[in-house]
Amino acid sequence: MSEHDKLTEDKIFEAATEVFIEKGMDGARMQDIADRAGMNKSLLHYYYRSKDRLFDAVFEMIASKMLKKFAPVFEDNLTFEEKIRFFFREHISFMQKNPRLPAFLLNEINRHPDRIRKFLANVNIGNVWDILYSQHKEDLDKYHITREKIPQIMTTMASLSVFPFAAKKLLEEIFGKVGLKFNDYIEERKTFAADFVIGALENMNRYNFNDESKTQPHDKKKKK
Amino acid sequence: MSEHDKLTEDKIFEAATEVFIEKGMDGARMQDIADRAGMNKSLLHYYYRSKDRLFDAVFEMIASKMLKKFAPVFEDNLTFEEKIRFFFREHISFMQKNPRLPAFLLNEINRHPDRIRKFLANVNIGNVWDILYSQHKEDLDKYHITREKIPQIMTTMASLSVFPFAAKKLLEEIFGKVGLKFNDYIEERKTFAADFVIGALENMNRYNFNDESKTQPHDKKKKK
DNA sequence: ATTAATTTTGACCGCTTGGTTAAACTATTT
DNA sequence: AAATAGTTTAACCAAGCGGTCAAAATTAAT
């Protein structure tokens, strides 16, 4: 495999990445990708056998790129609060540079859940949460946060950072009507989300005691 | 237009709704819709001229259905805290019954932003926020929440309720590995999200004063 | 320089796509 | 009951789709 080969193969991959993110798997056309790469359509089939395989390659690259951005959150030398701030700062900044990735990934995962399965096969999410929990047991106990709350808290943090990008075009449309720039909003969000989460966690204990009647299904039947 | 016409037209619309939500605009096939409606494909073109118009009809119906679910939040006879709890309870319950709507809507809006434009043309979101703000000025002042924070707070609430459904298949995959049922998680979320937001707002003032150095871009240049 | 292997191309294929049309069918009007 | 209008169907169409293939162009090996 020569120097030039790698170049054309990469050009295909890059063009495919652009088109797939823009149009999605169903909306993308092999001819579009060939045009954007500036070459004959047959070359796409020469290097990647089919549209499906080409998409798989692109999807895997993007998914793992996204996954890797989550990893540094679990570094040990940070306090719980620092981790939260670190997460929002880094994760949102990453999406700022790749604003279409969240919508693309969510859509394709919902459409073909099996594609993400092999990714999560290698990740023991329960373990990760357990480690995170034990690392900060003191902080979490102080806030009266039990292990069962971890899924809610983790998905909450993901919500706060990912949703604005998943709904980017909608928010841009809305913000446009009140003279707000999406990028300003995102810049502000890095700290707002962190402040918000930390503030909520500090008040968490309150609702564990006072509102036991109001918050109905807190103590659900744990299966077996 | 006879009784029977309305029936077949409705059957088309219902079948189209199902298929479009399942496969998206690009992935849906007219033949699929005809099959699901149990009739000849030409009838789709007889009642709706083209795939685009049929999709437009479906999209408009779903979008307005979604929009209407937000309206009751602005009823006057509720306290700010009650509105927050009311929003999460009702909005999440609605999505529980229509779990694929969020992903569908977000994807199609991102793909064709102009389609949502005419919807928002009728809604003066700035006004809605102003009304909401003035309705609860006392509460918000108590929490030291300025009007500029409204967009962050509103999108935060949308994030917390919508994201779990937009990422449903991903979360189901993750939860499956730790023995957590998506529906249990959602049931819990109705109150968790409300508690979380209220707790965060009550702590909001703290970060307005203490952390002015940490939270860098709070006071950005306001254009003009 | 010749051969061999690889890369790139354009022409092509079978199939599916959204969409059309004319005829068959059904209901309504006179 | 005949004519009219509205509904449903099957057959069909051109365009676009992913994919193939053999020949041309290029590079590497002898």
Side-chain angles (χ1 to χ4, degrees), chain B:
Chain B
M1 204 182 263
S2 72
E3 183 74 8
H4 198 252
D5 298 348
K6 197 93 213 104
L7 228 130
T8 60
E9 194 176 341
D10 284 356
K11 275 203 292 190
I12 293 173
F13 190 84
E14 282 162 27
T17 302
E18 287 178 28
V19 174
F20 278 135
I21 288 178
E22 239 171 69
K23 309 277 187 72
M25 162 69 169
D26 291 334
R29 299 292 105 117
M30 293 297 267
Q31 191 59 59
D32 285 2
I33 298 171
D35 290 348
R36 191 162 314 201
M39 62 180 61
N40 192 286
K41 189 187 63 164
S42 296
L43 277 182
L44 310 196
H45 291 96
Y46 181 73
Y47 286 100
Y48 304 82
R49 288 173 55 89
S50 66
K51 186 187 183 185
D52 239 64
R53 282 165 183 267
L54 178 53
F55 180 82
D56 274 349
V58 169
F59 181 83
E60 181 177 318
M61 174 260 158
I62 291 180
S64 68
K65 198 174 158 188
M66 200 72 161
L67 206 69
K68 275 173 193 150
K69 274 284 152 183
F70 276 90
V73 180
F74 305 110
E75 283 179 20
D76 208 1
N77 54 341
L78 294 175
T79 70
F80 192 61
E81 190 175 322
E82 280 171 341
K83 274 185 192 172
I84 291 173
R85 295 197 186 281
F86 180 74
F87 167 78
F88 283 114
R89 197 184 331 112
E90 291 303 305
H91 197 241
I92 291 179
S93 292
F94 170 71
M95 288 166 149
Q96 223 170 1
K97 286 173 217 139
N98 310 271
R100 305 184 92 149
L101 255 51
F104 166 79
L105 275 174
L106 287 179
N107 185 46
E108 299 299 339
I109 290 171
N110 279 320
R111 206 78 73 199
H112 307 286
D114 40 319
R115 244 187 270 263
I116 203 70
R117 199 159 295 156
K118 61 172 176 291
F119 259 92
L120 280 69
N122 307 326
V123 184
N124 188 338
I125 190 76
N127 250 348
V128 174
W129 285 351
D130 279 350
I131 291 168
L132 194 73
Y133 184 77
S134 59
Q135 273 175 3
H136 301 283
K137 190 139 190 15
E138 303 136 38
D139 285 319
L140 296 173
D141 279 353
K142 193 175 66 192
Y143 299 151
H144 294 91
I145 294 171
T146 59
R147 190 193 264 101
E148 292 90 55
K149 286 246 168 60
I150 297 284
Q152 290 288 348
I153 293 170
M154 297 305 271
T155 56
T156 291
M157 289 180 61
S159 302
L160 294 184
S161 65
V162 174
F163 177 81
F165 291 96
K168 182 167 187 261
K169 292 289 172 188
L170 175 61
L171 293 186
E172 280 178 341
E173 210 66 50
I174 292 174
F175 290 167
K177 306 185 75 178
V178 296
L180 181 57
K181 294 265 179 287
F182 183 77
N183 273 337
D184 292 346
Y185 161 82
I186 288 297
E187 207 57 54
E188 196 185 7
R189 190 146 188 91
K190 294 176 192 172
T191 53
F192 177 89
D195 292 345
F196 197 87
V197 168
I198 292 164
L201 293 183
E202 286 176 351
N203 261 354
M204 192 111 271
N205 53 340
R206 206 182 290 193
Y207 295 94
N208 277 340
F209 300 127
N210 296 351
D211 286 322
E212 209 134 335
S213 57
K214 243 181 200 170
T215 50
Q216 322 134 12
H218 256 164
D219 42 1
K220 292 191 69 66
K221 54 177 165 27
K222 286 264 128 48
K223 54 172 268 188
K224 178 56 185 312

Side-chain angles (χ1 to χ4, degrees), chain A residues 89-150:
Chain A
R89 199 184 329 114
E90 291 302 306
H91 197 241
I92 292 179
S93 292
F94 170 71
M95 288 165 150
Q96 222 170 2
K97 285 172 217 140
N98 309 272
R100 307 184 90 149
L101 254 52
F104 166 79
L105 275 174
L106 287 179
N107 184 48
E108 298 299 339
I109 290 171
N110 280 320
R111 208 77 73 200
H112 307 286
D114 40 319
R115 246 187 269 263
I116 203 70
R117 200 159 294 155
K118 61 173 176 292
F119 258 92
L120 281 70
N122 307 325
V123 184
N124 188 337
I125 191 76
N127 250 346
V128 174
W129 286 350
D130 280 349
I131 290 168
L132 194 71
Y133 184 77
S134 59
Q135 272 175 4
H136 301 282
K137 190 139 190 13
E138 302 137 37
D139 286 319
L140 296 172
D141 279 352
K142 192 174 65 194
Y143 299 150
H144 295 91
I145 294 171
T146 60
R147 191 194 264 100
E148 293 91 56
K149 285 247 170 60
I150 297 285

